[in-house]
Amino acid sequence: MTEAELYSVYYGVYMPAGLHSPRSLNYFSEFSFRPDDILIATYPKSGTTWMQEIVPLIVSGGDPTSVETLPNWNRTPWLEENQVYTLKLEQRPSPRTFSTHFQYGMMPKSFFEVKPRAIYVMRNPKDVFTSSYHYHGMAAFAVNPGPQSEFLQKFLDGKVMFGSWFDHVKSWLGAEEKGHIMYITYEELITDLKDCVARIAQFLEKPLDPEVIEKIADRCLFVNMKKNNMSNYSKVSCEVFDLKKSEFLRKGIAGDWKNQLTVAESEYFDAVYRDKMKDVKYKFGWD
Ligand code: A3P
């Protein structure tokens, strides 16, 4: 199926129409944040599910009940997705945890007024591309990626779900008020998960004993998260996610792009990256 059949356009970017109705988008735009809400913001395939495991465990002081009993889309729901208005978020006790795949400029008015804490996770876009390529091949609501070179061009042009990686990252890095936003990369999580858990806990003002930090980091290891049916998407119908084509928790490594992109594709990617990111000062660690 084509983009015209599967996607709608919101703020100029494609989004899977099956998951985002006019009603849910309206709910999002009118959403009222509380000051102690926590928002996980990501471009898809950057480590959303990982953070949806880490943050609730920090908030609960290491108690695994929520990650063992609630699927990630209910535990830390996307504020823009269809099911959102069925979840009675207004009745949830604080601190509530949410997710979004939207750019900074698409946040509801209340986000800018209330300034809840937000954690923005970024990942090497070549690995985002690689993960997306497999994801687009297995998710029924996504346009089939087709030949890799075509999908690469679409990705670099932002003609994929949730638009351009470049626009997304630059929008969040360009936030006028950064005091309530923590920026972290997938690669930092890979390199030292324990340290990242400690830093996130500090950002959330949730002091934790070293043993608790260690336990949380251990639970959030790829191998362990893969076994958690509340986080590995095994509960989603195989008509929506064909996990036989590609698992959602697929490889969980940094640098898999080296197995995916040809030398020419990688060089082309680098050239586009250099041009689009030339004014960005942030040190990601992969560039
Ligand atoms: P790969 O496809 O490269 O394996 P998102 O949740 O934003 O959609 O991102 C999905 C990507 O994050 C997938 O990447 C998935 O395997 C990876 N991921 C999820 N949990 C992880 C973990 N605990 N450790 C490492 N990678 C993880």
Side-chain angles (χ1 to χ4, degrees), residues 63-277:
D63 178 348
T65 309
S66 80
V67 298
E68 283 177 353
T69 56
L70 293 173
N72 60 313
W73 58 85
N74 182 331
R75 190 193 314 144
T76 40
W78 279 270
L79 286 174
E80 61 269 16
E81 275 192 11
N82 273 343
Q83 52 137 15
V84 72
Y85 42 78
T86 64
L87 295 174
K88 299 193 173 65
L89 300 182
E90 295 71 20
Q91 293 170 23
R92 287 197 174 182
S94 289
R96 304 177 299 180
T97 54
F98 305 122
S99 308
T100 185
H101 281 322
F102 280 177
Q103 296 182 13
Y104 179 74
M106 293 160 74
M107 290 299 105
K109 194 159 158 260
S110 140
F111 180 80
F112 301 104
E113 291 166 355
V114 174
K115 303 182 184 63
R117 285 192 182 84
I119 302 174
Y120 186 61
V121 191
M122 300 165 284
R123 185 181 190 186
N124 183 333
K126 287 178 169 174
D127 280 333
V128 173
F129 166 80
T130 302
S131 184
S132 283
Y133 179 73
H134 294 281
Y135 182 65
H136 277 69
M138 66 79 130
F141 49 80
V143 174
N144 198 284
Q148 176 162 307
S149 56
E150 268 173 40
F151 187 67
L152 177 62
Q153 195 55 55
K154 285 185 187 177
F155 181 85
L156 294 173
D157 289 341
K159 300 284 184 222
V160 288
M161 289 188 291
F162 299 98
S164 155
W165 178 89
F166 302 99
D167 291 349
H168 204 287
V169 168
K170 287 195 279 188
S171 80
W172 278 93
L173 288 177
E176 302 91 60
E177 292 232 25
K178 296 197 179 60
H180 66 115
I181 304 173
M182 176 176 188
Y183 297 95
I184 192 162
T185 63
Y186 180 95
E187 290 70 19
E188 288 172 271
L189 292 163
I190 287 278
T191 305
D192 193 342
L193 186 53
K194 231 190 313 169
D195 178 64
C196 288
V197 170
R199 281 164 48 211
I200 297 166
Q202 201 175 14
F203 172 70
L204 298 177
E205 294 183 76
K206 182 84 194 174
L208 297 175
D209 292 338
E211 312 83 73
V212 176
I213 290 174
E214 191 139 347
K215 258 197 188 154
I216 294 175
D218 185 63
R219 268 201 160 263
C220 295
L221 288 173
F222 185 73
V223 279
N224 293 333
M225 268 184 67
K226 232 173 133 75
K227 288 186 252 168
N228 183 356
N229 288 338
M230 294 296 154
S231 307
N232 62 13
Y233 283 90
S234 56
K235 295 210 157 296
V236 174
S237 143
C238 56
E239 280 160 28
V240 178
F241 279 164
D242 188 344
L243 298 181
K244 289 207 192 86
K245 280 193 186 151
S246 176
E247 288 187 273
F248 192 101
L249 280 101
R250 194 183 57 92
K251 281 202 183 171
I253 58 170
D256 192 36
W257 65 267
K258 291 174 194 151
N259 303 313
Q260 190 75 32
L261 295 175
T262 63
V263 172
E265 284 170 342
S266 171
E267 285 173 3
Y268 178 54
F269 202 124
D270 290 341
V272 174
Y273 183 95
R274 271 195 301 275
D275 178 49
K276 297 218 190 246
M277 301 298 278

